[in-house]
Amino acid sequence: MALQLRVYVPPHPLIRHWLAVSRDATTPSALFKTAMTELGRWLTYEATREWLPTLETQVQTPLAECPATLIDPEVPVVVVPILRAGLALLDGAQTLLPLASVYHLGIVRNEETLQPSFYLNKLPDRLDPRARILVLDPMLATGGTMAAAVDELVKRGADPNMIRIVAVVAAPPALQALSTNYPELTVYSATIDEGLNQNGYIVPGLGDAGDRSFGT
Ligand code: URA
């Protein structure tokens, strides 16, 4: 599988631990939600490396002036959770990015055609092309939902080079589809799994991330 987009699977023990907890079919819903929050936190930490805009300045310590680096407040940082399951990653992402604007997208996948359709779109009409945009969806199965979300962002002025996707489980068909449509994207995922079953579920995966997060 030759991919043009960049995919990172950070080799972090906390990410591996919470992935194992989330995969376990006996994990109760409350602990599953905790696992998603932790994965949201650590994958966001990895994804914001060399991506958050910074500015160089000077600060006066009690002893001397020294060079310092701050997050540039002029460049918008945006988080886009894809409902429902992306909401489970949001708490963890927000602990690291408390000042980010959060724009929700509700996208449902038709279980027969597997095609995405929007039931909620809180994106503003225009996005600053400099905006750093983190899109949250734990499961990248076919890539259809994520591609539809990125289409909406790009239509509003987002630069795909500035978009980072945080997922928990990514499947090869999704990575291939996203790479074909948007080779500039970067994906951070806790794992890349084997593939999809006939119902479009990722195998081995972790089941339905929305149902398991919200106890439905
Ligand atoms: N969405 C899920 O929640 N799980 C899958 O395996 C695929 C899509």
Side-chain angles (χ1 to χ4, degrees):
M1 177 175 60
L3 290 178
Q4 281 183 282
L5 90 176
R6 289 171 301 276
V7 187
Y8 293 101
V9 178
H12 196 298
L14 286 168
I15 293 175
R16 289 183 178 154
H17 173 85
W18 290 113
L19 173 66
V21 172
S22 69
R23 280 198 195 276
D24 187 338
T26 68
T27 296
S29 179
L31 183 58
F32 184 89
K33 175 63 177 58
T34 299
M36 289 292 121
T37 299
E38 292 303 321
L39 288 162
R41 186 195 321 276
W42 297 114
L43 288 163
T44 297
Y45 173 79
E46 296 285 348
T48 52
R49 224 182 261 276
E50 287 146 27
W51 173 80
L52 279 173
T54 55
L55 53 85
E56 301 307 315
T57 184
Q58 297 276 324
V59 291
Q60 179 71 45
T61 80
L63 301 175
E65 193 171 68
C66 77
T69 304
L70 293 173
I71 304 292
D72 186 345
E74 296 297 318
V75 179
V77 177
V78 167
V79 180
V80 180
I82 300 181
L83 275 50
R84 279 185 306 164
L87 274 185
L89 300 173
L90 181 62
D91 288 348
Q94 278 190 302
T95 59
L96 302 184
L97 302 172
L99 300 183
S101 301
V102 179
Y103 301 122
H104 296 79
L105 282 181
I107 307 179
V108 67
R109 191 170 70 143
N110 182 302
E111 291 300 329
E112 272 152 33
T113 63
L114 304 183
Q115 291 306 306
S117 69
F118 285 80
Y119 62 88
L120 179 78
N121 187 339
K122 299 297 283 183
L123 292 176
D125 290 342
R126 293 302 303 161
L127 286 159
D128 187 325
R130 296 171 306 159
R132 304 317 198 248
I133 303 174
L134 202 62
V135 189
L136 310 177
D137 189 352
M139 309 305 281
L140 297 182
T142 62
T145 298
M146 185 56 73
V150 175
D151 286 347
E152 287 300 310
L153 291 165
V154 170
K155 249 198 283 183
R156 288 165 167 76
D159 176 356
N161 289 291
M162 296 296 144
I163 299 176
R164 293 203 167 177
I165 293 168
V166 166
V168 174
V169 185
L175 297 176
Q176 193 67 66
L178 288 170
S179 182
T180 303
N181 291 321
Y182 291 108
E184 311 91 337
L185 292 175
T186 308
V187 176
Y188 284 77
S189 184
T191 184
I192 301 174
D193 271 6
E194 282 156 32
L196 308 181
N197 69 12
Q198 67 280 13
N199 298 320
Y201 277 86
I202 303 177
V203 181
L206 48 74
D208 189 308
D211 281 347
R212 295 194 67 193
S213 296
F214 300 111
T216 53

